[in-house]
Amino acid sequence: MSAVGLIVEYNPLHNGHVHHYTRAKEVTGAEHAVAVLSGPFLQRGEPGIVSKYARAEMALAMGADLVIELPAAYAVQPAEWFAYGAVALLNATGVVDSVCFGTESGTLEVLQPLARMLAHESEELQGHIAHYLGQGMSYPSAYAAAAEALAGNGGWKEDILQLLHKPNHTLGLHYLIALERLGSRMRPYTIPRIHAGYHDEVPGHTYITSATAVRRMLLGPAPDEAAPYVPATTLAILKREFAAGRGPITWESFRQPLLHLLLTTPPEQLAALHEVTEGLEHRMGKLLPALPGANVAGLLAALKTKRYTHTKLQRMLVHILLRHSKEQLAPARLAEGPGYLRILGFNKTGQALLKQMKKTASLPVVMKPSAFSHDQLDLDLRAAAAYANAYASPSPDDWYRDYMQPPVMI
């Protein structure tokens, strides 16, 4: 049985995601789909609007057969490590034949040869990155400029310059780099995004819009405005979670615990946390006494500079909230890859896939976290408990749900 891998966040799952799922199965000819889903906190340093279990349920209702959690160690990371962790998980299943992702262009013609060139980072590439960082560029901009410099002159260079300044191309490139580094036999495919840009904040189409626009509608005075842009199952799950006080979760849901940590943690301890770099611990200390609005949005706005993107700062705040040390998420440790396959959900077909995967997987398949031990899993459990604490009235069942919750089945 053939299966295509999808790397997703579903925050929340909308009609554009349904299009991606449908086209992925069409272009690959796969019978089944395996989704790697980010947990409570996402790649751009945002909390999921609802829990990972609710989002896994959305995926299964759409038609995905098996949902695997991307560990927190990889989920809240720049594109390089996010992509590496997700592709490594799909590769480790032993049942996924291909991986399909969306890009703005819908072609791999330029991305694949570039990925082969960048897969094994040379001293020259690292030198270029350091040079551009020294000029005050953010890391994504420095990486794009370094890749362009290595690519040389000619038409390919112009293509690269256009490609690497688009978010889905950047992620796509790193998926391809991960496949090269892992020596994976999974075949890559891409389909073009349609009707909505990654960051579009307002709908530009009657059926498909961005997750950003959907969240704005859900958080506004009339959440039902999102109905045309999401499957009916997604809307029903969102309404159920909101009614139970388990959403919508935003950064402001964590305002008090985050500000408590920032106000009470000595600068030298903050500096030991992941992505707290170049004196940001001191910058935050200076800004807090005059923080506009005493909220997370105000802190992010005050911290943002040309050097530090909004996304980098959000990720830093997640790592502070979850107390992720630099040592825990050091590149050498991340390069070892995920340590397990944590199953979040499956359907009847996925149950057959899961049975096969238990024979073919190169990593332990985890159904009950309470019966398995791993440093990365400890981070997942802590992230889930911290996320649940943002509910309207969290209970011990919410805090310890990861220990007790079996995979979602539909």
Side-chain angles (χ1 to χ4, degrees), residues 257-282:
L258 178 65
L259 292 178
H260 170 78
L261 286 170
L262 292 175
L263 289 166
T264 60
T265 305
E268 62 273 16
Q269 292 183 22
L270 285 176
L273 299 178
H274 189 57
E275 291 215 52
V276 182
T277 56
E278 300 176 335
L280 276 169
E281 68 277 13
H282 298 298

Side-chain angles (χ1 to χ4, degrees), residues 6 8-13 17 20-21 35 37 55 58-59 62:
L6 310 176
V8 298
E9 294 185 321
Y10 294 160
N11 190 38
L13 189 149
H17 296 130
H20 171 225
Y21 161 79
L37 178 76
R55 289 181 287 118
M58 293 174 192
M62 174 185 67

Side-chain angles (χ1 to χ4, degrees), residues 53-343:
Y53 297 105
R55 289 181 287 118
E57 186 180 352
M58 293 174 192
L60 296 170
M62 174 185 67
D65 299 293
L66 184 63
V67 183
I68 300 169
E69 180 175 2
L70 178 62
Y74 295 92
V76 189
Q77 291 282 10
E80 175 186 5
W81 292 117
F82 173 87
Y84 184 79
V87 172
L89 284 178
L90 290 172
N91 193 59
T93 64
V95 299
V96 176
D97 313 289
S98 58
V99 58
C100 184
F101 49 87
T103 56
E104 286 83 0
S105 67
T107 178
L108 299 178
E109 184 178 358
V110 175
L111 289 176
Q112 276 193 302
L114 180 59
R116 294 187 189 105
M117 182 183 71
L118 298 175
H120 305 286
E121 289 196 3
S122 64
E123 290 185 8
E124 186 180 6
L125 175 64
Q126 293 171 357
H128 280 301
I129 293 172
H131 169 73
Y132 291 117
L133 287 173
Q135 292 185 346
M137 285 188 180
S138 66
Y139 186 86
S141 297
Y143 190 96
E148 179 197 352
L150 282 185
N153 296 316
W156 197 37
K157 178 178 177 179
E158 294 303 315
D159 288 340
I160 290 170
L161 192 59
Q162 293 176 23
L163 289 176
L164 293 185
H165 288 283
K166 295 179 179 179
N168 287 285
H169 278 138
T170 299
L171 269 175
L173 174 65
H174 284 288
Y175 295 145
L176 296 171
I177 289 173
L179 288 168
E180 290 286 333
R181 288 178 174 169
L182 291 163
S184 175
R185 295 182 179 180
M186 293 188 300
R187 184 176 176 183
Y189 293 84
T190 187
I191 60 169
R193 286 181 66 96
I194 60 171
H195 302 313
Y198 190 85
H199 298 297
D200 288 356
E201 295 188 358
V202 295
H205 187 264
T206 57
Y207 178 71
I208 289 178
T209 191
S210 69
T212 301
V214 170
R215 289 194 300 274
R216 284 178 68 90
M217 287 182 275
L218 291 169
L219 295 169
D224 281 343
E225 288 181 357
Y229 305 100
V230 300
T233 48
T234 289
L235 195 60
I237 292 167
L238 288 168
K239 287 183 173 181
R240 180 195 72 203
E241 295 298 297
F242 293 177
R246 297 190 293 265
I249 304 299
T250 71
W251 249 124
E252 299 309 328
S253 307
F254 301 92
R255 180 180 66 87
Q256 289 186 327
L258 178 65
L259 292 178
H260 170 78
L261 286 170
L262 292 175
L263 289 166
T264 60
T265 305
E268 62 273 16
Q269 292 183 22
L270 285 176
L273 299 178
H274 189 57
E275 291 215 52
V276 182
T277 56
E278 300 176 335
L280 276 169
E281 68 277 13
H282 298 298
R283 181 171 169 78
M284 286 186 286
K286 292 176 181 178
L287 289 171
L288 285 171
L291 187 62
N295 56 27
V296 180
L299 175 61
L300 287 166
L303 284 171
K304 190 178 182 310
T305 65
K306 181 181 178 182
R307 172 79 163 197
Y308 302 117
T309 65
H310 193 265
T311 296
K312 184 268 190 305
L313 294 170
Q314 285 193 143
R315 283 199 296 259
M316 176 190 71
L317 294 184
V318 172
H319 298 307
I320 292 172
L321 180 71
L322 301 180
R323 311 296 290 175
H324 289 162
S325 71
K326 286 181 169 65
E327 181 183 0
Q328 287 172 316
L329 301 184
R333 297 186 73 169
L334 294 175
E336 296 172 0
Y340 49 89
L341 292 154
R342 165 80 188 280
I343 307 303

Side-chain angles (χ1 to χ4, degrees), residues 345-366:
F346 53 89
N347 59 19
K348 288 184 179 180
T349 305
Q351 196 166 14
L353 265 178
L354 187 57
K355 184 177 180 180
Q356 180 183 348
M357 196 172 85
K358 288 179 178 179
K359 299 176 183 178
T360 60
S362 57
L363 291 173
V365 177
V366 177

